[in-house]
Amino acid sequence: MKNLWNDADAEKMVADYAKKGVDGDLALRVYTTRLLGGEPRLVLHGGGNTSCKTRATDLVGDEWDVLCVKGSGWDMAVIEPQGLPAVKMGALLKARALTELSDEDMVALQRSNLIDPASPNPSVETLLHAFLPHKFVDHTHSTAILAIVDQEDSKALVKTVFGEKMGYVPYIKPGFDLAKAAAEVFDADPSVEGLILDKHGIFTFGDDARQAYDRMIHYVNVAEEYVAKNGKPNATKAALPAKLARPSDIAPMLRGAVAVARGEGRFDRMISDFRTSDAIIDFINSAKIAELAGRGVSTPDLSIRIKTGPMAIPAPDADKLGDYKAVIRSHVETFAKDYQAYFETNDALDDVKRTMLDPMPRLTLVPGLGMFGHGRTLKDAKIASDVGEMWIEAVRGAEAIGNFQPLSKADLFPLEYWSLEQAKLASNKPKPLTGQVVLITGGAGAIGAATAKLFAANGAHAVIVDLDPAKAAEAAKAAGNNSIGVGADITDPAEMRAAFDKAVAVYGGVDILVSNAGAAWEGRIGELDDATLRKSFELNFFAHQSAAQNAVRIMLEQGTGGVLLFNTSKQAVNPGPKFGAYGIPKAATLFLSRQYALDYGAHGIRSNAVNADRIRSGLLTDAMIASRSGARGVSEKEYMSGNLLGQEVTADDVAQAFLHQALAERTTADVTTVDGGNIAAALR
Ligand SMILES: [Zn+2]
């Protein structure tokens, strides 16, 4: 591992922060914290922590010795000074004399001694930092260090690898007890340059930021070199099918299998993030991958992301894809059953009241293909994949020099079900469409973009399909929530298929279709040429059918139901003069919606239509509004609000109707009218 310290960068950071009133110690603390945080082999997504002992002034001008320590929720890679809250040292040091201190009291002690009460909670490893005398303390969960400590005889191995310069601390759950134990190891030999924490990670310390950082990189390199020099060749590989299925063939099946069934056809769905590389494949093709996955996480804080460890499933045979869904389901069932047993066994050991988290895997290893990270959002799914890559790194190293033996699941349990972590999770309330993927055709138009925005605000990830890829990307950006834009001519079945493939590739599947794209052609029906009518049918009927077919194909693979929503327009039930080319295929689409409701209701797939009218959009442009209102001799405003309510109906109103239909769990074969009231077009 490269030492990234650079004098010029360090000096620049000190100078830049000095202008903002941040002292040099804290500026350098930020500098090396970012260096450490930028390397996934050291820390991942909120893991690891650093500190520095300095002085700070409170509001009444009193100066205090403080520990600036990483705040919970901050990512080291992008830390700022406010991510290192200052805690008064005096109180922290006094705590060492206590014989016990609960986690809740420890948090209370730390919070009540903050200089700024608005700070985030100081790290749960704050006391460990405080009890060590050095000015700068760095802590990481280096994969190379984990390869050494995730062994049966790790204590002896630590001595062999690091000699006398590093202290060895047996595994203890982070918190007060670990802080005391670590301090005692240090006191027994204050000449050490750091501490190796069994089954957990490494601390290094120094008089300045550079020394602590240099020592971290040095000892990680010592571990890396030991693994490189003493590593055995890779384990035997499993036999793979002659023809492997593709990731997109199995993603929806897997995504459906890991959705949490809430009963009565309701599911908490997850997003799947597929990841692969030569290194991933080389490792997961091992003949013993399922057994290695079962041994657990490489460092305990990964349990927050991937629970008790990954799930491994057999490689998918392209010729036996029909049976593979059942294979996936049985593996997920076993994983969930084991997880439940793990919870029940360990929960019964004391009388603390806990709620079991959902028992679904967060990381699936598929030999021959790669891995899928699962999470309630794309961000969480990607984090699970990131964690998976580092799990592989650590386990590969551990297996190369011995036998991967991480923390036991009994010891992992108190960490996964830590009251502090459970509180964090409980505050993370999902939105109504969290975990769901909506694909919207005509997604860059007024109604499509408004719908994407509203669905994304309600937790869904939107796949915005539009003829114009740049506009699709723009609408995705405006919608937010990691939505994506896809350019496609949806009257071409291959392009429609490609748009759905993209949704599967990025999110693992599709739950909601908003089949919205449309265009109008005019002309008296008796004089209309066939080409025009057929063209209109291609977009206003067949593209809806093609979208629905693709959606249903994926929904059936997932087995978690779904919703088809069609924009059918008022023309479907109330024809306008010279508008047959538009209205007739729309009428067919209205019945298409009902046919899907009828044919797929038994699979939990709902199908509804929205009848909108007179919405300012690409179909009804400002120029058209001016010409039509002029022709009728009314003002534009009167024309647009010519309905029972006397109010203009907007794209946002249509989006609301689609959202209502997506959320109304017992509504199918429905038509919702969004036109401000038009008795002639009212449905019976
Ligand atoms: Zn740690």
Side-chain angles (χ1 to χ4, degrees):
M1 181 166 290
K2 239 181 113 187
N3 186 315
L4 299 175
W5 178 281
N6 176 299
D7 281 335
D9 289 351
E11 280 160 25
K12 184 171 184 314
M13 195 163 287
V14 170
D16 288 351
Y17 275 119
K19 286 181 210 148
K20 296 176 188 165
V22 175
D23 78 61
D25 286 340
L26 194 52
L28 287 173
R29 180 65 286 174
V30 167
Y31 174 61
T32 58
T33 301
R34 287 188 192 167
L35 291 185
L36 296 169
E39 173 51 65
R41 282 169 185 78
L42 293 176
V43 294
L44 269 182
H45 301 294
N49 42 63
T50 58
S51 69
C52 91
K53 297 176 183 78
T54 180
R55 289 181 66 80
T57 309
D58 66 17
L59 287 174
V60 292
D62 287 343
E63 220 184 299
W64 302 83
D65 281 330
V66 293
L67 179 76
C68 289
V69 61
K70 200 199 85 162
S72 111
W74 277 84
D75 188 329
M76 284 170 64
V78 292
I79 199 128
E80 293 288 343
Q82 62 268 34
L84 292 152
V87 196
K88 292 173 195 166
M89 273 294 284
L92 298 179
L93 288 178
K94 253 188 189 168
R96 198 175 162 186
L98 300 172
T99 49
E100 58 182 52
L101 183 65
S102 73
D103 292 335
E104 287 75 8
D105 286 347
M106 179 179 79
V107 171
L109 172 76
Q110 290 168 186
R111 279 216 70 84
S112 61
N113 283 284
L114 285 166
I115 293 290
D116 175 359
S119 301
N121 272 342
S123 159
V124 294
E125 277 152 347
T126 293
L127 291 178
L128 204 165
H129 286 261
F131 295 169
L132 294 168
H134 303 78
K135 192 168 176 65
F136 285 81
V137 178
D138 294 6
H139 169 48
T140 75
H141 303 148
S142 147
T143 53
I145 300 291
L146 292 172
I148 309 286
V149 296
D150 284 348
Q151 301 285 343
E152 188 180 3
D153 200 8
S154 48
K155 187 175 180 181
L157 187 59
V158 165
K159 193 142 197 208
T160 308
V161 177
F162 303 105
E164 302 296 330
K165 289 292 196 61
M166 295 295 277
Y168 171 88
V169 184
Y171 180 79
I172 298 172
K173 183 166 91 74
F176 176 69
D177 294 341
L178 175 61
K180 271 189 91 158
E184 278 156 25
V185 171
F186 174 80
D187 288 349
D189 181 4
S191 74
V192 296
E193 296 178 350
L195 300 171
I196 300 287
L197 273 57
D198 195 27
K199 317 291 187 215
H200 176 162
I202 173 174
F203 277 79
T204 55
F205 22 77
D207 301 330
D208 56 49
R210 176 155 193 182
Q211 189 178 42
Y213 174 76
D214 283 349
R215 285 175 172 172
M216 177 63 72
I217 302 302
H218 170 72
Y219 286 106
V220 167
N221 278 323
V222 168
E224 279 181 358
E225 280 156 24
Y226 180 86
V227 173
K229 210 184 286 171
N230 298 279
K232 311 182 293 260
N234 279 343
T236 25
K237 299 279 188 281
L240 296 178
K243 199 175 157 213
L244 282 167
R246 294 165 305 175
S248 60
D249 294 332
I250 66 162
M253 299 179 194
L254 180 59
R255 178 167 180 258
V258 300
V260 182
R262 292 290 179 211
E264 304 287 317
R266 296 180 174 94
F267 297 90
D268 286 346
R269 297 171 176 89
M270 284 197 256
I271 302 302
S272 294
D273 170 60
F274 179 70
R275 191 161 310 176
T276 193
S277 69
D278 291 345
I280 292 171
I281 299 244
D282 180 67
F283 182 78
I284 63 178
N285 284 2
S286 156
K288 58 195 262 200
I289 189 63
E291 196 241 317
L292 289 174
R295 289 190 208 165
V297 290
S298 46
T299 183
D301 86 331
L302 299 192
S303 68
I304 308 304
R305 306 296 186 183
I306 60 168
K307 311 180 82 74
T308 50
M311 170 180 79
I313 59 177
D317 188 331
D319 296 327
K320 292 182 189 151
L321 213 45
D323 306 330
Y324 197 63
K325 193 169 171 178
V327 172
I328 292 179
R329 294 221 168 232
S330 87
H331 277 79
V332 172
E333 224 167 84
T334 304
F335 185 95
K337 238 184 243 166
D338 290 349
Y339 185 85
Q340 187 159 356
Y342 150 84
F343 176 82
E344 282 165 3
T345 313
N346 292 294
D347 183 49
L349 299 179
D350 57 31
D351 46 7
V352 176
K353 211 171 143 17
R354 303 178 182 91
T355 310
M356 192 181 88
L357 301 168
D358 79 71
M360 292 302 174
R362 291 299 190 274
L363 183 69
T364 301
L365 311 177
V366 192
L369 298 191
M371 59 190 191
F372 290 89
H374 311 293
R376 292 280 279 146
T377 62
L378 182 65
K379 187 177 163 217
D380 285 348
K382 281 181 183 291
I383 289 176
S385 299
D386 290 345
V387 164
E389 286 197 71
M390 290 307 117
W391 178 84
I392 286 175
E393 284 263 338
V395 181
R396 181 195 291 119
E399 282 289 296
I401 56 167
N403 228 331
F404 171 58
Q405 192 178 307
L407 193 63
S408 74
K409 294 202 176 149
D411 280 329
L412 187 66
F413 181 78
L415 220 121
E416 190 184 357
Y417 281 88
W418 207 349
S419 57
L420 306 180
E421 289 298 337
Q422 292 237 303
K424 217 190 288 174
L425 292 169
S427 67
N428 215 346
K429 282 264 176 293
K431 294 177 175 166
L433 294 176
T434 292
Q436 301 209 41
V437 181
V438 59
L439 185 143
I440 305 169
T441 67
I447 292 173
T451 304
K453 212 171 188 173
L454 185 62
F455 276 55
N458 279 273
H461 295 300
V463 180
I464 293 166
V465 184
D466 203 273
L467 198 52
D468 183 336
K471 282 189 179 154
E474 211 175 284
K477 203 172 164 209
N481 197 27
N482 286 315
S483 296
I484 55 163
V486 182
D489 172 0
I490 58 166
T491 58
D492 177 344
E495 291 196 27
M496 179 73 91
R497 167 76 195 222
F500 278 87
D501 285 351
K502 182 78 183 170
V504 170
V506 176
Y507 305 109
V510 170
D511 308 289
I512 306 166
L513 166 68
V514 180
S515 192
N516 165 68
W521 285 269
E522 286 182 275
R524 263 205 310 188
I525 194 68
E527 294 140 52
L528 198 65
D529 63 286
D530 274 5
T532 301
L533 188 57
R534 285 180 197 281
K535 202 170 161 189
S536 179
F537 260 93
E538 282 302 331
L539 181 61
N540 292 316
F541 174 76
F542 282 104
H544 289 283
Q545 158 67 348
S546 156
Q549 273 188 323
N550 274 290
V552 162
R553 170 177 53 80
I554 294 168
M555 288 169 186
L556 292 177
E557 284 171 9
Q558 291 171 163
T560 50
V563 196
L564 310 174
L565 304 174
F566 298 89
N567 186 346
T568 59
S569 144
K570 160 256 188 194
Q571 299 297 326
V573 292
N574 177 241
K578 297 184 192 166
F579 236 43
Y582 181 60
I584 294 164
K586 284 288 194 179
T589 298
L590 174 61
F591 272 73
L592 182 74
S593 167
R594 292 181 175 179
Q595 196 66 45
Y596 272 99
L598 179 63
D599 287 349
Y600 294 96
H603 297 276
I605 297 171
R606 298 184 289 117
S607 179
N608 297 308
V610 167
N611 260 355
D613 191 28
R614 223 170 273 188
I615 313 296
R616 217 178 273 272
S617 69
L619 262 175
L620 182 59
T621 60
D622 290 347
M624 287 162 77
I625 294 167
S627 115
R628 286 192 193 173
S629 54
R632 293 185 190 199
V634 296
S635 72
E636 285 183 31
K637 189 173 183 310
E638 280 167 330
Y639 175 74
M640 289 308 287
S641 53
N643 54 45
L644 298 178
L645 295 174
Q647 277 155 358
E648 181 174 343
V649 186
T650 67
D652 288 335
D653 297 315
V654 184
Q656 282 291 347
F658 279 131
L659 179 66
H660 158 75
Q661 290 184 333
L663 294 176
E665 289 175 330
R666 294 297 180 259
T667 297
T668 190
D670 170 58
V671 184
T672 297
T673 300
V674 189
D675 60 3
N678 174 352
I679 284 299
L683 285 151
R684 289 173 171 229

